[in-house]
Amino acid sequence: MTLSATGAFELAAADGSARAGVLRTAHGEVETPVFMPVGTKATVKTLHPDEVHALGAEIVLGNAYHLHFRPGDELIRDLGGLHAFMGWDRPILTDSGGFQVFSLRDTIARVDDDGVTFRNVYDGAESRFTPELSARIQANLGSDIAMCLDEVPPAGVSRRRLEDSVRRTTEWARRQLSADRADGQLRFGITQGGIDTELRRRSTEEIAELDFDGNAIGGLAIGEERAATFEATELSAALLPADRPRYFMGIGDPEGILEVIAAGVDMFDCVLPTRTARTGSALTSEGRLNLRNARFARDSGPLEEGCDCTACTRFTRAYIRHLVNQNELLGLRLLSLHNLRFVITLTRGARDAIAAGRFASYKRDRLETLTWA
Ligand SMILES: [Zn+2]
């Protein structure tokens, strides 16, 4: 057992580079590796918090960008903070807003060393994010883990621009460390550098040196080749301190989850399970099933054989297909419940396998049975 300097993370087992651990937060413990459902606007879309917890979720994400503009982080603070506001008394990680600002690229007016100016997506007003503001928003929200504001360049930018983003991300991380935070709030730095080996290394070493409570691997899975994503992840994970949690930002497909766990990542999030559900598709071992397909019209089986979720133990594919085709809300809810359960079960299986020292065979077996598109 290794206790980190901050006391927030304890490693319970390691198998190759893969790790199982426990992360302690102001609102409870999280067993890792962990998949974190995304609740951007203070809700995991369509689901009651009790349902989210019953799926095995121990921590959810909120988003500083969206909650700052609607309904406002000060309003949420005045109403007792994000936990009280959304009726979730377990751990919450808030994203800094960096990814949202930089992925809505055509809304950006200007990026400079002090911050980024953009038109917000709600009313188009000129807005500005700085590390200090992102810290203050997340302090107002009162999340358990606050992320640093980083500059996320798109895949395939010039080396010079990538280098700029690495430099800024480190400077901003340093500023955020001396800015506001809520009582007991953990702070995570973020590494950038795209898939450029030298820049990813530089960014990781600079962020690691700042001694955050945990560290995230950012700026990946944004359109680059998959093999390159995993190589950069391996490089970054290996350079990050072993006694702090490592968080891969934005991966939620089965192959991606297993690959980043293999690289030594402890936490990850993605909108994929819930977004896929809202398009009428289920994540299963057979791949992504589009329930609108006529071949399910008389299918009396569950979404996934053996799944213990409430959609699978009670309803048929034929029924869920009917709901989806009629735009019945229950269909989207059942698919959201199943898809999250599917990803959480896969991750939980990885934790058990790591503890038993058989992660490599677990990963191989799962990737063989999962036909994924
Ligand atoms: Zn299910």
Side-chain angles (χ1 to χ4, degrees):
M1 294 258 186
T2 320
L3 208 60
S4 79
T6 55
F9 185 66
E10 195 173 308
L11 209 54
D15 184 4
S17 297
R19 301 126 57 90
V22 179
L23 173 65
R24 295 204 178 83
T25 79
H27 286 83
E29 295 187 346
V30 178
E31 293 194 327
T32 63
V34 65
F35 175 81
M36 304 182 284
V38 177
T40 304
K41 298 183 178 181
T43 168
V44 177
K45 288 190 195 303
T46 79
L47 303 183
H48 189 291
D50 292 349
E51 292 175 315
V52 175
H53 183 244
L55 290 170
E58 297 182 334
I59 175 170
V60 299
L61 253 70
N63 192 283
Y65 178 105
H66 292 285
L67 297 173
H68 171 63
F69 292 112
R70 298 289 187 277
D73 51 287
E74 290 177 0
L75 179 148
I76 291 175
R77 176 200 62 201
D78 294 347
L79 293 174
L82 185 56
H83 295 84
F85 187 61
M86 68 186 283
W88 172 266
D89 61 3
R90 295 183 169 82
I92 298 175
L93 178 150
T94 42
D95 207 350
S96 65
F99 183 79
Q100 284 63 38
V101 172
F102 289 102
S103 60
L104 300 163
R105 211 142 274 284
D106 53 355
T107 67
I108 297 178
R110 173 172 94 250
V111 190
D112 53 60
D113 286 350
D114 180 62
V116 53
T117 301
F118 56 97
R119 283 176 288 105
N120 80 63
V121 292
Y122 289 96
D123 59 13
E126 185 168 292
S127 311
R128 185 163 173 80
F129 268 20
T130 61
E132 289 78 13
L133 177 63
S134 179
R136 189 159 78 241
I137 294 168
Q138 295 179 82
N140 284 338
L141 295 173
S143 56
D144 298 281
I145 301 170
M147 299 303 301
C148 279
L149 185 70
D150 56 342
E151 185 188 350
V152 193
V157 290
S158 70
R159 191 169 190 285
R160 223 185 104 196
R161 282 202 50 205
L162 202 56
E163 192 164 13
D164 268 350
S165 87
V166 164
R167 179 180 55 77
R168 266 193 200 120
T169 295
T170 300
E171 279 173 20
W172 290 0
R174 200 170 282 131
R175 279 164 56 192
Q176 198 154 342
L177 272 177
S178 33
D180 300 346
R181 70 165 141 176
D183 279 348
Q185 191 173 50
L186 303 173
R187 283 190 291 218
F188 281 25
I190 306 177
T191 73
Q192 287 293 334
I195 55 172
D196 182 296
T197 305
E198 201 249 316
L199 292 178
R200 176 63 64 174
R201 175 184 294 275
R202 184 192 303 174
S203 178
T204 305
E205 286 172 350
E206 288 176 359
I207 295 298
E209 204 166 285
L210 294 178
D211 206 24
F212 281 98
D213 300 304
N215 298 287
I217 299 169
L220 292 173
I222 53 172
E224 74 282 2
E225 293 279 337
R226 275 226 123 182
T229 309
F230 300 138
E231 273 170 39
T233 304
E234 251 175 67
L235 170 73
S236 206
L239 292 169
L240 287 170
D243 62 352
R244 310 292 158 89
R246 305 175 186 135
Y247 164 25
F248 187 103
M249 306 184 79
I251 206 152
D253 67 289
E255 184 202 21
I257 286 175
L258 294 172
E259 291 293 347
V260 301
I261 291 175
V265 165
D266 310 296
M267 309 159 70
F268 32 88
D269 72 288
C270 194
V271 294
L272 180 130
T274 42
R275 185 170 287 168
T276 303
R278 294 196 307 282
T279 66
S281 293
L283 308 184
T284 76
S285 301
E286 296 165 45
R288 205 179 299 211
L289 303 185
N290 178 356
L291 269 293
R292 296 180 196 277
N293 198 304
R295 75 186 164 106
F296 301 120
R298 290 173 174 277
D299 192 332
S300 60
L303 292 173
E304 166 95 353
E305 206 63 58
C307 177
D308 61 1
C309 87
T310 181
C312 292
T313 53
R314 189 142 165 198
F315 304 102
T316 61
R317 288 176 172 182
Y319 178 62
I320 295 172
R321 170 180 183 271
H322 161 70
L323 294 177
V324 168
N325 278 335
Q326 295 307 312
N327 296 319
E328 285 291 340
L329 298 180
L330 181 61
L332 307 184
R333 285 182 22 77
L334 292 176
L335 284 169
S336 296
L337 287 165
H338 167 76
N339 286 355
L340 283 173
R341 182 63 187 159
F342 180 79
V343 169
I344 288 168
T345 302
L346 180 78
T347 306
R348 170 54 58 170
R351 180 182 164 88
D352 294 344
I354 293 164
R358 49 174 184 80
F359 177 70
S361 64
Y362 176 78
K363 176 174 172 247
R364 193 175 54 242
D365 292 350
R366 290 312 314 254
L367 289 180
E368 264 170 26
T369 55
L370 290 164
T371 45
W372 253 75

